[in-house]
Amino acid sequence: MSRTSSSELNPPRQRRAELARNLAEVRGRIDAACAMAGRAPGDVTLIAITKTWPASDVMLLSQLGLADFGENRDAEAAPKAAACAGLPVTWHFVGQLQTNKTPSVARYASVVHSVDRVRLVRALGAAARAAGRELTCLVQVSLDGDPARGGVPVTGVPEVAEAVAAEPGLLLGGVMAMAPLGVQPAAAFAPLRACSAAVRSVRAGAAIVSAGMSGDLEPAIAAGATHVRVGTALLGGRKPPVR
Ligand SMILES: *Cc1c(COP(=O)(O)O)cnc(C)c1O
């Protein structure tokens, strides 16, 4: 069964108003979470996760003042980034990444959030050098040790961080995590501070903590997130994957 996305059904003006409303609501949630945590709202960068949504939505959100966009599949991200060339946007790659996709990802992404193994570090380094670009890499931590959604267990963080720091073409930027399913987010995010400290002991400036999505950005900000990755709350519900 296929469904037409609302961006195709609605005139752009209506979609623009919808995105503006959602953006104001998400920014309000971020500001409130920062206030609760005693942090300045400017501490937290909002990344719009635009998977399944068209390049026209990236353009509208860019016009509304957003600069950071993320995708989780190269096959979708590469053409979307190409369609948005010329917009003042930074692309973040947030999904599980196969080494054979690194040459493509290195051409458009500035930040890769999902770096979880040394072999991937080597491939990203080679791809960055070939593309003549520097890639900021975040070490993805698996907070429950279950590798199903990617990530290195907490104990493996220093090894991956050191590999990134030693790899020409890559800049160690920090850590990334997703809350494990079925665990209370506040408790799930607690180990992030120690993981961030471990990465900062490899490179002091590697202070990015990428955590928090539509459903759990408040506990993530309370746990020290500097970057939240928000899809549904900004763009709307995604269609189920086509099989
Ligand atoms: C899809 C996705 C998000 C955004 O999720 P929402 O719940 O739609 O906000 C964040 N991070 C990653 C890695 C994702 O794949």
Side-chain angles (χ1 to χ4, degrees):
M1 195 169 67
S2 81
R3 197 179 85 187
T4 309
S5 79
S6 62
S7 61
E8 285 161 340
L9 288 173
N10 298 340
R13 205 188 306 121
Q14 199 169 322
R15 180 60 168 160
R16 186 191 166 90
E18 182 183 359
L19 292 177
R21 209 162 47 237
N22 292 347
L23 179 58
E25 192 164 312
V26 169
R27 288 222 192 270
R29 286 176 60 191
I30 292 172
D31 290 356
C34 285
M36 286 282 289
R39 300 174 56 191
D43 268 9
V44 176
T45 300
L46 171 59
I47 304 170
I49 305 298
T50 46
K51 64 192 184 200
T52 77
W53 296 101
S56 56
D57 282 348
V58 177
M59 191 172 308
L60 287 170
L61 284 168
S62 165
Q63 290 167 356
L64 290 166
L66 263 193
D68 291 276
F69 293 85
E71 289 281 332
N72 72 336
R73 286 176 50 246
D74 176 62
E76 179 179 355
K80 202 178 293 183
C84 296
L87 292 179
V89 303
T90 296
W91 286 101
H92 298 250
F93 191 86
V94 302
Q96 284 180 264
L97 182 54
Q98 306 297 315
T99 52
N100 65 345
K101 297 295 197 312
T102 54
S104 173
V105 168
R107 284 194 283 270
Y108 58 85
S110 297
V111 188
V112 179
H113 291 230
S114 44
V115 179
D116 60 2
R117 57 202 191 277
V118 172
R119 208 169 98 77
L120 179 59
V121 171
R122 306 266 187 266
L124 278 169
R129 296 190 296 275
R133 303 186 69 230
E134 183 179 67
L135 291 182
T136 295
C137 291
L138 310 185
V139 178
Q140 184 180 348
V141 189
S142 169
L143 293 174
D144 59 357
D146 173 359
R149 292 192 299 166
V152 62
V154 170
T155 51
V157 168
E159 185 194 7
V160 178
E162 275 157 23
V164 172
E167 187 72 25
L170 305 184
L171 182 70
L172 181 62
V175 291
M176 178 275 223
M178 313 226 284
L181 303 169
V183 180
Q184 214 217 340
F189 286 132
L192 268 180
R193 286 192 198 276
C195 292
S196 174
V199 169
R200 280 181 281 119
S201 78
V202 176
R203 182 180 165 263
I208 295 175
V209 177
S210 166
M213 319 199 301
S214 294
D216 59 14
L217 67 86
E218 288 88 357
I221 289 171
T226 63
H227 289 60
V228 293
R229 309 177 308 267
V230 179
T232 310
L234 273 179
L235 292 131
R238 292 180 290 271
K239 334 174 198 197
V242 179
R243 293 190 192 282

